Amino acid sequence: MALQNFEFCNPTRIVFGKQTIQQLDKLIPEASKILIVIGGGSVRKNGTLDEVEQALGKRSFAVFEGIEPNPTFETAMLAVEKIRKENFDFVLGVGGGSVMDACKFIAGAVKYQGDTWDIVLSGGEKITQVIPFGFVPTLPATGSEMNSGGVISRKSTFDKLPIHSSLLFPLFSIWDPTKTYSLPKRQVANGIVDAFIHTVEQYITYSVNACVQDRFAEGLLLTLIEEGPKTLENPEDYEARANFIWAATMALNGLISTGVPSDWATHMIGHELTILYGIDHGQTLAIILPSLLNEMRNDKRSKLLQYGRRVWGIEHQDEEKIIDEAIAKTRAFFESLGIKTHLRDYGVDDSAVDKVVEQLQRHNLTALGERKNITPEVSRRIVEASL
Ligand SMILES: NC(=O)c1ccc[n+]([C@@H]2O[C@H](COP(=O)([O-])OP(=O)(O)OC[C@H]3O[C@@H](n4cnc5c(N)ncnc54)[C@H](O)[C@@H]3O)[C@@H](O)[C@H]2O)c1
């Protein structure tokens, strides 16, 4: 099999390094009226917001605070209403993936005529116009800083759904690794797992002989395995943190998915666990991925063998042993970062199985995976094996 046809375009400008936030001034169009969007206040405490405000100098801006982890439609709509009422024309997200995703929805919803929840139900297809937006990310994990996707939740209806649109690439993202030093260990570990699994979902599928993408993916996985523990242990080791951040961004900016199949089933099942039980995004992925790889081991056979050999250096005569060991090492890596990999570790019992399967059916997520053969019955087995 050969590389599939593809088109690749990533228009986001990345500015990376220490003391780069001051460049905001030249990145945002001069006459803009800016709404800065933040989360629960971590960027106030660690000085990032101060630096952003200083960089904006005499420009016209206001701050919208309160985007929650796993950002909700309800809160994002408050920002949309503020923008409509006060005529802001630039959105600047300062925070983690939740803030960035909320900003994408906000930017696409401001000019939307009609019920804005339809934007989410359409998976982002209904977005036809956005107001410009850029980011100062403070948490490496999601890749939202350089991709065109987002995930929005609605608490009242137990929905957590992805949106995508070519209009949702940020204009720029300014990555100053020092602004992530204040992250709690749990968030750093979540971020390492999220980036690792993004890579796996675009790599462990079936082979299309994509030499470049495979080597990129393996490079990212090896970087996360090597630098992840260092950056968790020593948050202010700039070299390790910078490598981790760039790996997380590159893991989901479209580059390694060019021309290859992908399998987002771990994410889709994980979203249901977050909306049902409030488990962190990264944790849900660490719970589901090992069971999914095991369940789909025949379909993913050649890539699992490649992953075992090239990423974990496993050699055996017996191919089944290579696959078993590769999955065991993946689980052990997550656990070594402090991320538990079973539902029972989070106080969730076997009643979760029916609930997750019902949610997947309600969201029409009934043909997942690179071959679209992860049916609700297969998802059921995966969740059962994750208990
Ligand atoms: N857009 C995408 O492509 C994509 C991909 C994967 C996941 N997601 C979504 O992103 C969300 C998760 O984002 P996330 O993992 O970046 O976490 P997050 O943005 O939810 O942040 C987690 C916590 O870390 C805090 N925080 C952020 N930066 C900090 C800092 N520098 N210091 C101290 N605390 C800080 C936040 O206030 C928050 O309490 C989920 O909703 C997930 O589904 C999006």
Side-chain angles (χ1 to χ4, degrees), residues 7 65 69 90 93 126 134-135 139-140 156 171 199 231-232 251 253 262 264 273 297 346 360 368 376:
E7 201 177 303
E65 182 164 356
F90 195 95
K126 294 215 164 172
F135 297 142
L139 197 172
S156 57
L171 212 55
T199 310
T231 199
L232 192 62
N253 67 357
S262 50
W264 297 105
L273 289 173
R297 61 193 289 147
Y346 300 87
L360 290 168
L368 300 171

Side-chain angles (χ1 to χ4, degrees), residues 73-379:
F73 171 73
E74 290 90 338
T75 305
M77 279 309 295
L78 298 177
V80 170
E81 277 149 29
K82 186 174 172 68
I83 292 172
R84 286 176 177 163
K85 208 159 109 203
E86 298 172 41
N87 295 316
F88 291 94
D89 56 16
F90 195 95
V91 175
L92 179 62
V94 183
S98 293
V99 165
M100 294 189 274
D101 285 5
C103 288
K104 290 178 179 180
F105 171 77
I106 293 164
V110 167
K111 299 208 166 156
Y112 187 76
Q113 320 231 319
D115 181 353
T116 42
W117 180 243
D118 285 347
I119 291 178
V120 180
L121 288 182
S122 74
E125 247 177 56
K126 294 215 164 172
I127 297 175
T128 53
Q129 236 186 324
V130 290
I131 61 168
F133 60 96
F135 297 142
V136 177
T138 62
L139 197 172
T142 62
S144 192
E145 64 276 6
M146 199 183 177
N147 71 33
S148 57
V151 190
I152 299 296
S153 298
R154 188 155 84 164
K155 279 189 182 152
S156 57
T157 48
F158 286 95
D159 296 316
K160 179 172 182 181
L161 298 168
I163 53 173
H164 289 99
S165 163
S166 57
L167 297 170
L168 292 184
F169 283 103
L171 212 55
F172 62 80
S173 286
I174 302 186
W175 254 135
D176 178 344
T178 66
K179 300 299 169 243
T180 70
Y181 288 171
S182 55
L183 280 166
K185 268 196 171 193
R186 167 172 145 196
Q187 297 303 343
V188 177
N190 279 342
I192 297 165
V193 168
D194 198 17
F196 192 94
I197 295 181
H198 288 154
T199 310
V200 163
E201 287 175 305
Q202 299 159 91
Y203 167 63
I204 306 183
T205 56
Y206 55 82
S207 178
V208 291
N209 199 19
C211 297
V212 174
Q213 290 85 333
D214 280 3
R215 292 290 189 193
F216 273 150
E218 287 151 8
L220 294 174
L221 295 173
L222 286 166
T223 301
L224 292 165
I225 291 166
E226 287 164 14
E227 303 294 300
K230 285 191 219 161
T231 199
L232 192 62
E233 196 52 41
N234 297 305
E236 301 198 14
D237 170 348
Y238 182 86
E239 286 176 42
R241 183 56 56 98
N243 280 322
F244 162 40
I245 289 175
W246 192 227
T249 301
M250 295 293 281
L252 196 56
N253 67 357
L255 185 65
I256 63 168
S257 65
T258 48
V260 303
S262 50
D263 168 12
W264 297 105
T266 301
H267 263 74
M268 295 306 115
I269 300 172
H271 289 169
E272 304 300 0
L273 289 173
T274 296
I275 197 75
L276 287 169
Y277 300 104
I279 303 172
D280 289 354
H281 176 66
Q283 294 169 337
T284 66
L285 306 180
I287 293 167
I288 296 298
L289 183 78
S291 317
L292 182 138
L293 293 179
N294 191 45
E295 175 68 32
M296 305 309 289
R297 61 193 289 147
N298 290 331
D299 284 359
K300 294 180 184 293
R301 186 175 188 81
S302 70
K303 293 305 283 287
L304 274 169
L305 289 169
Q306 182 178 325
Y307 168 66
R309 288 179 175 130
R310 290 195 189 170
V311 175
W312 293 109
I314 306 165
E315 277 309 336
H316 272 302
Q317 293 297 331
D318 182 346
E319 292 191 341
E320 294 311 316
K321 277 199 180 145
I322 296 180
I323 295 176
D324 284 342
E325 208 175 302
I327 296 173
K329 281 187 183 285
T330 307
R331 186 187 292 281
F333 176 57
F334 301 156
E335 295 267 352
S336 76
L337 301 170
I339 303 285
K340 299 283 180 207
T341 58
H342 292 97
L343 278 166
R344 59 179 177 272
D345 300 321
Y346 300 87
V348 175
D349 64 21
D350 58 4
S351 62
V353 179
D354 282 343
K355 287 190 191 148
V356 170
V357 172
E358 263 170 47
Q359 287 275 104
L360 290 168
Q361 284 174 319
R362 190 165 66 78
H363 291 138
N364 287 327
L365 298 169
T366 53
L368 300 171
E370 67 274 19
R371 298 178 204 267
K372 307 211 177 307
N373 60 355
I374 303 187
T375 60
E377 267 322 296
V378 180
S379 293

